[in-house]
Amino acid sequence: MRIQALGCSGGIARGLRTTAMLVDEHIVIDAGTGLGDLPLDALRRIEHVFLTHAHLDHIAGLPLFVDSTQGRQGRTPVTVHARTETIAALRRHIFNDVIWPDFSRIEGRYGPLLVYQPIRAGEVVDLEVCRVGAVDVAHTVPALGYWVSDGRHTFGFSGDTRTNDSLWSELNAQASLDALIVEVSFPNEQRRLADVAGHYCPATLGADLERLRHDPRIWVTAMKPGEEQVILRQLQRALPHRRLAMLQTGQVLSL
Ligand SMILES: [Zn+2]
């Protein structure tokens, strides 16, 4: 399995993009600003978008991406898999014929350009190349994390979350876990803000990781720009026995 971190920052600036993870060729998890770094032909190969939640840093690339897929020929529509609450937010606030056209009602050559597919925590979507499982997490809006398995390798993706039980019990239930991409947005000095905003800081993530029975490579993401090194140092101090690194924009993980 190949995972390309098109965006993995908590904000934008030169070289920084918000969350979007390309899995092999046809799947992307979250559609932040990093999605726009793909060449057009690669964008047009994406068939499935799995969204963790409706916050802008996770969907900012979606409206223009769907527009860019109009040249697809002989392909199925882009399917957006997300919680019903996330789909409702997209319909109401983004694809509402004001901010951007409602592409679920615009017919391309082979059907609508965009199809919404609700997904619930605990559900597993079987695709040709892999299975994607949705997991409950705890954020300020309804949100999901995901695990993805090709039968040989498995990785987990937290999306945005504060401390919670569901993600860790679901990851522990997997036969193996090769990689974990997990958010940690704020340094410990801003722990209160992290809790209120539904995010991890190194102290809370460190405590939750103690419960993980697997020993995956851990890639931390979504750090606030400028705070990356502080957060990473705090996390390494909290978890000296874990294999931790900061995910970089454009980085490719091969499992
Ligand atoms: Zn969020």
Side-chain angles (χ1 to χ4, degrees):
M1 205 159 24
R2 179 185 190 273
I3 308 157
Q4 186 175 4
L6 302 171
C8 52
S9 175
I12 59 163
R14 183 180 296 170
L16 298 181
R17 309 280 188 275
T18 70
T19 308
M21 304 287 157
L22 183 67
V23 182
D24 291 330
E25 284 196 311
H26 304 301
I27 302 162
V28 73
I29 303 181
D30 278 339
T33 64
L35 197 53
D37 278 0
L38 280 178
L40 186 59
D41 59 334
L43 277 178
R44 287 179 173 172
R45 283 196 288 272
I46 294 172
E47 295 173 0
H48 298 276
V49 179
F50 287 84
L51 297 177
T52 57
H53 64 299
H55 278 161
L56 194 60
D57 51 332
H58 296 254
I59 62 132
L62 186 64
L64 291 164
F65 157 68
V66 178
D67 206 7
S68 298
T69 63
Q70 291 198 55
R72 288 155 60 110
Q73 292 196 345
R75 292 184 184 277
T76 52
V78 171
T79 302
V80 172
H81 306 261
R83 293 181 72 124
T84 52
E85 299 93 333
T86 306
I87 291 171
L90 289 174
R91 284 185 180 281
R92 182 169 183 193
H93 301 295
I94 303 289
F95 297 100
N96 56 6
D97 289 328
V98 178
I99 298 294
W100 210 237
D102 180 358
F103 282 111
S104 69
R105 291 169 185 256
I106 296 177
E107 295 284 319
R109 247 175 105 182
Y110 300 98
L113 294 171
L114 169 64
V115 170
Y116 296 108
Q117 183 63 52
I119 183 172
R120 279 190 297 217
E123 230 175 285
V124 177
V125 178
D126 270 300
L127 301 173
E128 258 175 53
V129 289
C130 63
R131 306 173 78 217
V132 182
V135 184
D136 247 334
V137 292
H139 196 35
T140 53
V141 294
L144 293 171
Y146 291 104
W147 57 260
V148 181
S149 178
D150 65 359
R152 290 172 57 230
H153 298 289
T154 302
F155 77 92
F157 179 64
S158 70
D160 281 1
T161 184
R162 65 165 74 89
T163 183
N164 71 90
D165 291 323
S166 42
L167 175 65
W168 306 103
S169 56
E170 186 72 23
L171 293 179
N172 281 337
Q174 303 302 311
S176 64
L177 187 69
D178 302 279
L180 172 64
I181 301 170
V182 63
E183 78 114 294
V184 52
S185 296
F186 294 99
N188 285 334
E189 292 74 15
Q190 293 176 280
R191 176 172 177 164
R192 207 178 148 274
L193 176 59
D195 286 343
V196 170
H199 289 290
Y200 276 122
C201 68
T204 51
L205 178 59
D208 277 10
L209 273 168
E210 294 295 343
R211 291 186 265 157
L212 183 64
R213 71 177 180 94
H214 302 293
D215 184 26
R217 293 292 305 267
I218 297 172
W219 303 96
V220 292
T221 68
M223 293 178 272
K224 292 299 170 198
E227 303 282 2
E228 295 92 341
Q229 294 307 322
V230 175
I231 293 172
L232 195 61
R233 271 199 303 275
Q234 292 176 346
L235 208 48
Q236 284 165 335
R237 272 203 298 275
L239 296 159
H241 52 292
R242 291 286 192 183
R243 297 176 292 160
L244 287 165
M246 187 171 88
L247 197 59
Q248 308 286 339
T249 305
Q251 188 172 350
V252 174
L253 311 180
S254 296
L255 305 184

